[in-house]
């Protein structure tokens, strides 16, 4: 495998992801998809947990991941700074963390 191909395989499908419901067969499952043409995963019924709730959790986690990482990095940058002016940025830290958390918790 070439280096270009290796780098390409490390990229995930861009967000946002969504849920597409199977309406063509009698089998119960949902697709996790980028759009109706690009299906990324199939979530099927399980013994424990509702398959639709599982799919929703996966999609919510993937779609909120970048915002959570960015807000945590920003918070750490401010908290680890020795600059007294960064104390003024604390309301922005709180705002970013709350926004990312809200996105992760939304259903």
């Amino acid at each position: 495998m070439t280096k270009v191909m290796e780098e390409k395989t490390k990229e995930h499908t861009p967000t946002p992801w969504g849920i597409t419901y199977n309406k063509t067969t009698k089998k119960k499952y949902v697709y996790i998809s980028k759009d109706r043409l690009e299906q990324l995963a199939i979530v099927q019924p399980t013994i424990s947990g509702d398959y639709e709730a599982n799919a929703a959790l996966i999609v919510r986690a993937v779609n909120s991941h970048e915002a959570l990482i960015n807000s945590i990095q920003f918070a750490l940058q401010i908290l680890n700074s020795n600059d007294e002016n960064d104390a003024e940025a604390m309301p922005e830290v709180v705002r970013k963390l709350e926004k990312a958390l809200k996105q992760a918790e939304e259903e």
Side-chain angles (χ1 to χ4, degrees):
M1 183 181 294
T2 68
K3 184 169 178 142
V4 173
M5 290 174 67
E6 287 175 11
E7 290 299 317
K8 184 68 175 165
T9 60
K10 293 180 183 179
E11 296 176 16
H12 65 76
T13 303
T15 57
W17 292 6
I19 296 175
T20 305
Y21 289 89
N22 169 28
K23 296 181 180 179
T24 60
T25 68
K26 292 180 181 178
K27 294 181 180 178
K28 289 188 173 188
Y29 56 84
V30 295
Y31 299 109
I32 294 175
S33 57
K34 171 63 180 158
D35 53 43
R36 295 204 182 278
L37 301 175
E38 188 173 5
Q39 298 168 351
L40 306 172
I42 297 173
V43 181
Q44 300 178 353
T46 62
I47 294 173
S48 62
D50 179 81
Y51 71 103
E52 290 176 323
N54 291 341
L57 175 63
I58 294 167
V59 168
R60 197 167 61 248
V62 168
N63 289 342
S64 64
H65 181 262
E66 185 176 351
L68 287 168
I69 295 295
N70 291 341
S71 62
I72 291 168
Q73 287 174 337
F74 180 70
L76 288 172
Q77 177 185 345
I78 299 302
L79 293 171
N80 289 325
S81 173
N82 292 327
D83 188 348
E84 291 179 12
N85 292 327
D86 282 344
E88 296 173 8
M90 287 307 289
E92 181 67 8
V93 168
V94 171
R95 187 191 69 73
K96 284 182 180 249
L97 289 169
E98 287 175 342
K99 182 178 177 183
L101 183 58
K102 181 178 179 184
Q103 180 182 354
E105 292 176 335
E106 286 180 354
E107 296 201 31

